[in-house]
Amino acid sequence: MNKGKDYDLIVVGAGPAGMTAGIFGARSGLKTLVIEKGISGGLSNEATDIDNYPGFRKIGGMELAEKMKEQTSEYAEIKELEGVNKIEIKEKEQKMMVFTEKDSYLSNAVVLCTGTKKRKLGVKGEDKFLGRGVSYCATCDGFFFKDKPVIVIGGGNSAVRGALYLKNVGCAVTLIHRRDELRAEQYLQKKMETAGVHILWNSVVKEIKGDKAVGSVVRYDKESGIEDELPVDGVFAYVGEEPVNALATQMDVKLDKEGYIITDKGQLTNQERVYAAGDITGGVRQIVVACAEGAIAATSAYEDSIG
Ligand code: NAP
C-alpha cells in the first residue's frame, strides 16, 4: 500500500459529525481522511434556517456546512463524491482496509458517520410521481410550487420546517398528520400557527394520484372513517429517517432494534477502533449533538492510539 494512502484515522461521511471528527482527529495529530459519497454537509444542506446551533442566531444549512468544510480542510483531507463500499477489519495487522468506488485506503481506526436517509411514505403513486410532484425536500423543490396547493406529511421538526418554508415561498400549504398532536418543537409549532398553515389532524394519505404529475391525494380521516380526494400539485413527505447502516452491518457492528449503531460514552462500537458519531447513533438528532459526538469519537481514537 502506497504510504500516501495509509491513514491513522478515516472518517466515513462528511456531515457535521464527520467534519468535526476530521477537525479533532487531525488536530490531535492523527493523519486523518474524511470520505464523503456526495458533497460535504449531509442532511444539514437541506435545512433552510438553523437557529439552534450556538454562535449563529440564524444560518442557512448550506452556509453552515460550507463553513464547516472550510475549517475541516484546514486540518484534514476531505474526499467528496467517493462512496465507501466496504471496510475490512484486518485483525492481525490491526488495520482497516477501506474500499471506495475509486480507490482503497488503510487506516488504524475508523469513525462511521453515515447518517440517516429520508423514510418513504410507502403509498401507491409515491415512486411513480417522484420528481413530478413528490418530494422529500422543500428547500430543494419548493420554489417550483409557488402559488400552488401542496401538502406536507408528518408531524416532526422536518415537516414543520418544510411547511414553513413552503408557506414562505408562496405555496398554499396543508399539513397532514396522523395524530392529533405534533412532535415538533413548540417554538416551531407556534411559528407555523402564526404563519397560518392549515392542518388536517388524524389523517393519512393513502394514495397519490395524477396523470403526468401529481394532481391529488386520497386522504383517510381516521376519526370519521371518511376518505376524500384533495387536489394538490405537490406532496412533501417528512415521515422520519432511517439509519444508513449497510457498512456497520457488514462490519458486524452492533445495532439497536431500530438499526442505529450502539456506542459507549467514547463513541466506540463493539468493534475495536471502530467509532460512530452523529445521526447514525440515533438519539437526539441535532447538528450540535452530531458535532459533539464527532469530537468525542476522534478524541477517543487518538487516546486509544496512544494506549
Ligand atoms: P421525526 O421526528 O421522526 O418525525 C416523523 C413524523 O412523521 C412523526 O410526526 C411521525 O408521526 C410521522 N410519521 C412517521 N411515519 C409515518 C407514516 N407512515 N405516515 C404518516 N406519518 C408518519 O422525523 P423528522 O421530523 O424528519 O426529524 C428527524 C430528526 O431530526 C428528529 O430527531 C428531529 O428533531 C431532527 N430535526 C431537527 C430539526 C430542528 O429544527 N431542530 C429539523 C429537522 C430535523 P408520529 O408523531 O405519530 O410518530
Side-chain angles (χ1 to χ4, degrees), residues 196-265:
V197 171
H198 176 53
I199 304 178
L200 292 174
W201 301 102
N202 298 306
S203 294
V204 291
V205 167
K206 291 191 105 179
E207 187 179 344
I208 302 166
K209 290 175 144 184
D211 182 12
K212 286 196 171 115
V214 169
S216 65
V217 294
V218 177
R219 186 269 303 233
Y220 173 67
D221 183 326
K222 287 159 67 181
E223 267 195 338
S224 65
I226 293 171
E227 255 182 39
D228 55 7
E229 205 166 320
L230 311 171
V232 291
D233 287 341
V235 175
F236 289 83
Y238 286 106
V239 293
E241 296 167 1
E242 285 171 357
V244 179
N245 57 18
L247 279 177
T249 308
Q250 173 243 311
M251 295 167 79
D252 287 329
V253 165
K254 262 196 194 149
L255 307 175
D256 67 16
K257 62 180 189 325
E258 285 169 334
Y260 291 93
I261 296 178
I262 299 170
T263 68
D264 68 8
K265 277 189 172 173

Side-chain angles (χ1 to χ4, degrees), residues 47 49-52 116 118-122 153-161 176-179 181-185 188 203-205 238-241 279 283-286:
D49 291 327
I50 294 164
D51 43 22
N52 59 5
T116 55
K118 301 272 175 69
R119 182 181 293 137
K120 282 191 157 189
L121 194 57
I153 306 164
N157 282 333
S158 302
V160 173
R161 283 210 181 264
I176 294 189
H177 183 41
R178 64 184 180 183
R179 290 190 293 133
E181 61 179 342
L182 304 171
R183 68 168 64 228
E185 286 171 19
L188 291 173
S203 294
V204 291
V205 167
Y238 286 106
V239 293
E241 296 167 1
D279 285 359
V284 179
R285 272 165 278 160
Q286 298 287 339

